[in-house]
Amino acid sequence: MKKIVVFASGSGTNAENIIKYFSETKTGVVTNVFTNNPNAKVIDRAEKFNIPAEIFSKEELYEGKLLQRIVSIQPDLIVLAGFLLKLPQNLVETFPDKIINIHPALLPKYGGKGMYGMHVHRAVVENKEPKTGITIHYVNENYDEGNIIFQKEVALTNEDSPEDVAAKIHQLEQENFPIIVEKVLLSI
């Protein structure tokens, strides 16, 4: 069975959805969850499924200690599910085309440093976009610039608030992310 490692920084709803999905398949299994946030709710979500959740510091990420830990696990795929830090070059180079991320907009629009969560949804509403969506993409050395694997859009109305947009995006993430993770895993 193929091994999946999940990185998350916050509430962990996407991480939990992926853990649940793969607990019911023979394709892969989430072996570890990593977070840079000691207060992240993803820790409790992982522990609920008996998945070890490991907390690391920025120093461990950027100085190579975390890379050594990830290499020791030998994951087939690394999934960023609401992970906010930029991955260092050495991690990206060690796992080429084996790290994927989900972004809450239709890239290349609304991507880059600082464009996450409600920041994206507010920008979409302020710019009166007729649609938005999700993008699942490979991770490279730049924020949100890796090759696109999948996009799914949703229509917006002039009445949609950033919170309405967030709810629509969350639904798309929950419906699509685990399925696309599985497709990528099967292609490896």
Side-chain angles (χ1 to χ4, degrees):
M1 191 170 305
K2 294 187 177 181
K3 293 190 271 188
I4 303 165
V5 167
V6 175
F7 278 62
S9 294
S11 71
T13 55
N14 279 321
E16 181 175 9
N17 193 31
I18 290 166
I19 291 167
K20 277 185 193 174
Y21 184 89
F22 284 98
S23 71
E24 299 168 2
T25 75
K26 302 278 188 233
T27 313
V29 61
V30 176
T31 60
N32 302 74
V33 170
F34 288 89
T35 183
N36 59 308
N37 178 357
N39 300 312
K41 291 181 183 162
V42 72
I43 297 166
D44 296 332
R45 292 180 192 273
E47 289 174 353
K48 185 168 69 172
F49 290 91
N50 296 314
I51 308 284
E54 300 181 38
I55 302 163
F56 63 89
S57 67
K58 272 187 173 181
E59 292 75 26
E60 290 170 317
L61 175 63
Y62 295 119
E63 293 172 5
K65 185 176 178 186
L66 184 63
L67 175 61
Q68 292 172 2
R69 174 69 180 116
I70 302 298
V71 167
S72 75
I73 296 167
Q74 297 182 316
D76 296 285
L77 190 63
I78 298 170
V79 177
L80 308 185
F83 183 68
L84 302 181
L85 296 178
K86 184 176 175 185
L87 292 184
Q89 185 72 30
N90 62 358
L91 185 57
V92 174
E93 288 175 353
T94 303
F95 295 97
D97 295 329
K98 292 190 175 183
I99 307 173
I100 65 173
N101 184 36
I102 189 164
H103 186 75
L106 296 170
L107 292 174
K109 284 186 167 186
Y110 306 106
K113 185 173 175 66
M115 291 305 286
Y116 61 90
M118 291 305 290
H119 299 290
V120 173
H121 308 317
R122 283 188 202 100
V124 165
V125 169
E126 286 169 11
N127 288 311
K128 301 183 183 345
E129 293 287 351
K131 64 183 179 184
T132 191
I134 60 169
T135 302
I136 299 169
H137 63 93
Y138 288 105
V139 173
N140 66 13
E141 63 279 0
N142 300 312
Y143 281 112
D144 304 322
E145 291 183 14
N147 290 333
I148 293 173
I149 300 165
F150 174 85
Q151 289 186 309
K152 181 82 174 187
E153 63 183 50
V154 64
L156 299 177
T157 68
N158 291 334
E159 290 77 40
D160 281 335
S161 68
E163 291 75 18
D164 295 329
V165 173
K168 289 180 179 186
I169 293 299
H170 183 72
Q171 183 174 350
L172 288 180
E173 290 171 340
Q174 295 289 295
E175 291 169 358
N176 295 282
F177 201 17
I179 294 165
I180 301 305
V181 169
E182 185 173 42
K183 285 182 179 178
V184 170
L185 201 58
L186 288 169
S187 73
I188 294 174

